[in-house]
Amino acid sequence: MSGLLPTRSQVLHACRGGEADHPVLRAARELTTLHERRFTEAGETVREIDDFRARHVRDIDRWVAAHLPPARGGAYLHTETVGAILDRLAQLAAFAYLALAEEADWDLWFAWERLAELAVGYEDLVDELSAGRRRLPGGCGE
């Protein structure tokens, strides 16, 4: 791992159950598992899954806030935290593999396209955070 935060390739690999030797990667892998469960559960169980997801998002954001270098004075504010972005990446990864398993052409194309776009956006954000050109909401990285 070259930087503070994992690359998009490392995150996507962790979302598919691959190596997760970083706290952010472990959380991303767990978020994907929770989203996979959420697709098949209903009622009270979904609320419990969402509670677990919220805890993982919070844990990611706390880790990032503790380890991210301070942003420069003129850094632009990003609209989401890293935890929120990784939760959406995990959701899209779970949906993309579900669409692949079900061989649903339109869903498959749409899911993979959205996953790829968000993964690129995540990596761009990591680059900007590392350079101090971007800051996160809630005081993360200030």
Side-chain angles (χ1 to χ4, degrees):
M1 197 161 314
S2 59
L4 174 70
L5 289 167
T7 66
R8 71 176 170 188
S9 296
Q10 291 167 322
V11 169
L12 293 173
H13 183 68
C15 286
R16 289 315 314 145
E19 183 178 344
D21 58 352
H22 186 286
V24 171
L25 293 176
R26 285 190 292 276
R29 182 172 59 195
E30 183 61 27
L31 283 167
T32 305
T33 300
L34 290 168
H35 278 289
E36 288 168 347
R37 285 184 47 212
R38 196 173 193 284
F39 290 143
T40 60
E41 302 291 336
E44 190 66 32
T45 305
V46 170
R47 282 189 286 278
E48 291 172 10
I49 290 170
D50 288 345
D51 286 345
F52 286 126
R53 287 179 39 235
R55 285 186 212 139
H56 283 297
V57 168
R58 182 197 63 218
D59 291 346
I60 291 168
D61 291 338
R62 285 180 177 168
W63 188 93
V64 169
H67 292 87
L68 196 65
R72 296 183 191 154
Y76 291 103
L77 178 65
H78 194 70
T79 58
E80 291 181 286
T81 66
V82 172
I85 292 168
L86 290 177
D87 185 50
R88 286 194 306 125
L89 262 171
Q91 179 186 32
L92 290 170
F95 182 68
Y97 280 95
L98 178 67
L100 183 63
E102 293 180 355
E103 299 180 25
D105 290 339
W106 171 249
D107 288 342
L108 182 61
W109 177 86
F110 183 75
W112 285 99
E113 184 72 18
R114 299 258 334 262
L115 179 61
E117 288 173 349
L118 185 56
V120 169
Y122 164 80
E123 194 154 74
D124 289 346
L125 175 62
V126 167
D127 290 344
E128 289 180 340
L129 289 170
S130 298
R133 292 188 308 264
R134 183 76 58 177
R135 62 188 173 92
L136 297 168
C140 297
E142 292 188 69

